[in-house]
Amino acid sequence: MSEPRHIDADTVIIGGGVAALWTANVLKNAGQSICVLTNSPLGEGQSLAAQGVIHGGLKYAVGGKLTESSEALARMPERWLAALDGVGPVDLSGAELLCDHQLLWSLPNVVSQVVGFFGSKAVRGRSAGIKRDDYPPIFDTPDYRGKLFRVDEPVVDPVSITRELAAGVANETWQIDWETNAQLEAEEGEIKAMHLTESDGSSIKLTASRYLLAAGAGNGELLSQVGIQRPEMQLRPLHQLIIRQKDLPDFYSVCVGTGAKPPLVSTTHTDSEGRRVWYIGGDIAEQEGVARTEEEQIAAGKKLFAQLMPWIDLSNAEWFTWRGNRAEPLTGTGDRPSGAYCERFGNLLVGWPTKLALAPDLADQVLAETEARVGGSVVLNLPRPSMGKPPWDLP
C-alpha cells in the first residue's frame, strides 16, 4: 500500500455553520492556508435556524439594566453592517439585510419601566421612542396601549448570510463522512493528523498548526474522540413557532413583559416558494415550550397572540413548529455564556459563538491564536457540501 499524500495547512476548521465559515473567511484574508471540513449541509442546525437578529445587547437589558451579555454584544451590529457593506475581512455585500432595526414593544402594564430605561443615558443613541403617528401598520391600532421603541439592531437573512460566507471559502471547503472517509488521529489531548480518503480512493494525511472545532452540537462528539474531558458542552433546547399566511406584514420585534425574558421575539422571512412566515422565539420557545407537543405549542402560540395582539387576524394562518438545540460551553447556571467562547488545548481550539451575532468575536479570538505559517492553498479530491434548509423550508 502506498504512503498517504501529506498535506500541511495553517488551520483546519471542523464545522459548516456561520461561526466556522466566518472564521474561515477571516483566516483566509489574513493569508492563512485553511481547510474547512463539514459532515453536514452548510448551516444545518443552529445557523439556519437562527432568527437573524444581530443583537446589540438591548434585548438582555429589558430587566432595567445593562448586563455582561448586553455589553459583549454592543459592537456586533456595526461589525455586521460593515460586512454587509463589503468592508473588512468578511464580504457579505451579496447577503440580504431584512431590516435595519427591531421594534421593542411593551405591554401596557410595563410602560413606565420601559420608558424609564430606554430613555436613560445607558442606552441613549441605541434606541429611540416612536411617536404614535409614526407607528408601523402592525401596531397602528387603538387596541395597542403600550409603547414602541426603535432599536438599532439589524436583522439578517440566515440563508443568504450562510451562502455568502460559504462562497468566500468555497475552494477551501469539503464534505466529509466520519463513518467512511475521515478519521481523527489524536494523542494526549491533541490532534496529530486527520486521515482522509479521497473520492478516487487515495489516502491523505492532513496536518495543521491549529485545529478548530466549530461544529456546534457536534463539538461534544469531537472532543470525545480527541479524549478531552473539558470544556463540557450544554444543550439548551428550543421549540420555535412558525406562522405562514399570505401577505403577513413585516414584524421584527421584541416584546417586553414583566419577566426577565421577552415573552415573544419575532422575525419575518420568505420561504423557498415566496410565502411569508413569522418565526417566533422568546420565552414561549424555551422551557415550557420545549415540554409541549407540537399541537400544545401551537395552541399556546395562538393563545399568546390572542392575549398580546388581539387585533391581528391569524385565523387562516398555517402554524407549525421547529425543535432544535443551542450548543455552547457548560455554565454553572445553565444560562448562555455572556460572550463568544474560544479556548486552546495544545494545538486544538474549541469554539462556540454562543449567539449568531457573536461570530465576529469568535473569529477575532481564533485569529489571535493562529498564524500564517504555510500559506497557499489546500487541494483535496472530496465532494463539496450542499446548502442546508431553514426551519420554514423543512418538510
Side-chain angles (χ1 to χ4, degrees):
M1 181 180 295
S2 62
E3 288 291 317
R5 182 163 61 99
H6 182 204
I7 295 178
D8 195 24
D10 290 316
T11 306
V12 169
I13 300 170
I14 302 176
V18 165
L21 295 171
W22 189 295
T23 302
N25 277 270
V26 168
L27 301 189
K28 178 182 176 180
N29 184 268
Q32 291 193 29
S33 169
I34 63 165
C35 177
V36 183
L37 302 173
T38 177
N39 68 335
S40 301
L42 296 173
E44 185 175 82
Q46 284 180 272
S47 291
L48 290 176
Q51 289 189 279
V53 179
I54 307 304
H55 293 288
L58 294 188
K59 169 187 170 183
Y60 300 98
V62 295
K65 63 180 180 178
L66 293 175
T67 64
E68 191 176 354
S69 288
S70 65
E71 292 299 284
L73 287 158
R75 290 184 58 247
M76 292 303 107
E78 68 177 88
R79 295 284 301 275
W80 280 81
L81 289 172
L84 287 161
D85 286 337
V87 177
V90 174
D91 184 358
L92 294 179
S93 56
E96 184 179 2
L97 176 66
L98 296 176
C99 191
D100 64 0
H101 68 282
Q102 285 194 97
L103 293 175
L104 190 145
W105 54 289
S106 72
L107 300 183
N109 57 340
V110 293
V111 168
S112 60
Q113 172 190 339
V114 172
V115 170
F117 177 69
F118 284 92
S120 69
K121 292 181 180 179
V123 297
R124 192 166 294 165
R126 296 164 63 184
S127 70
I130 301 175
K131 296 179 180 179
R132 171 71 63 171
D133 291 344
D134 297 327
Y135 277 15
I138 196 166
F139 287 104
D140 189 14
T141 169
D143 293 329
Y144 176 60
R145 300 181 181 87
K147 181 70 176 176
L148 283 187
F149 284 82
R150 174 191 167 109
V151 178
D152 290 328
E153 296 181 346
V155 184
V156 300
D157 169 39
V159 177
S160 61
I161 290 293
T162 304
R163 184 189 66 233
E164 292 303 302
L165 287 171
V169 289
N171 293 330
E172 292 81 18
T173 305
W174 290 274
Q175 178 92 34
I176 59 171
D177 185 333
W178 294 110
E179 298 291 330
T180 61
N181 69 353
Q183 184 179 3
L184 290 177
E185 178 188 343
E187 183 179 320
E188 297 181 350
E190 291 194 351
I191 296 177
K192 296 300 181 183
M194 290 193 66
H195 296 277
L196 306 172
T197 303
E198 295 188 292
S199 299
D200 61 3
S202 59
S203 298
I204 287 179
K205 181 179 181 179
L206 175 63
T207 57
S209 297
R210 291 283 187 270
Y211 298 85
L212 169 64
L213 305 187
N219 277 359
E221 175 59 30
L222 291 169
L223 288 168
S224 178
Q225 288 187 45
V226 178
I228 293 179
Q229 302 302 315
R230 64 181 184 89
E232 294 184 67
M233 184 179 73
Q234 68 183 21
L235 296 176
R236 289 190 299 125
L238 285 174
H239 195 184
Q240 304 271 105
L241 279 162
I242 303 171
I243 307 168
R244 185 157 53 205
Q245 180 172 291
K246 183 180 179 182
D247 299 329
L248 283 174
D250 285 346
F251 190 29
Y252 304 99
S253 81
V254 177
C255 176
V256 181
T258 56
K261 294 183 178 180
L264 182 154
V265 177
S266 62
T267 52
T268 309
H269 304 269
T270 303
D271 69 14
S272 58
E273 296 184 21
R275 298 171 296 186
R276 300 272 281 176
V277 301
W278 283 350
Y279 190 38
I280 307 299
D283 197 41
I284 188 172
E286 301 192 18
Q287 296 174 354
E288 291 185 8
V290 170
R292 298 184 186 111
T293 65
E294 181 173 30
E295 292 75 17
E296 290 170 341
Q297 181 70 334
I298 289 171
K302 290 180 177 180
K303 180 179 179 181
L304 182 66
F305 270 88
Q307 291 174 340
L308 303 185
M309 307 179 77
W311 60 90
I312 299 294
D313 182 8
L314 295 172
S315 59
N316 294 319
E318 177 186 1
W319 295 69
F320 53 108
T321 69
W322 175 84
R323 288 186 182 272
N325 286 305
R326 296 163 294 187
E328 58 206 18
L330 182 68
T331 62
T333 62
D335 294 328
R336 183 184 70 83
S338 60
Y341 173 93
C342 181
E343 189 168 353
R344 182 166 69 88
F345 303 87
N347 69 351
L348 182 66
L349 297 170
V350 183
W352 287 277
T354 75
K355 203 150 195 71
L356 177 78
L358 287 164
D361 185 17
L362 176 62
D364 290 347
Q365 295 184 52
V366 174
L367 181 62
E369 294 282 354
T370 56
E371 62 180 353
R373 176 183 57 87
V374 177
S377 300
V378 171
V379 178
L380 301 175
N381 182 13
L382 290 172
R384 303 294 185 177
S386 61
M387 273 287 297
K389 295 181 179 180
W392 44 90
D393 274 334
L394 293 173

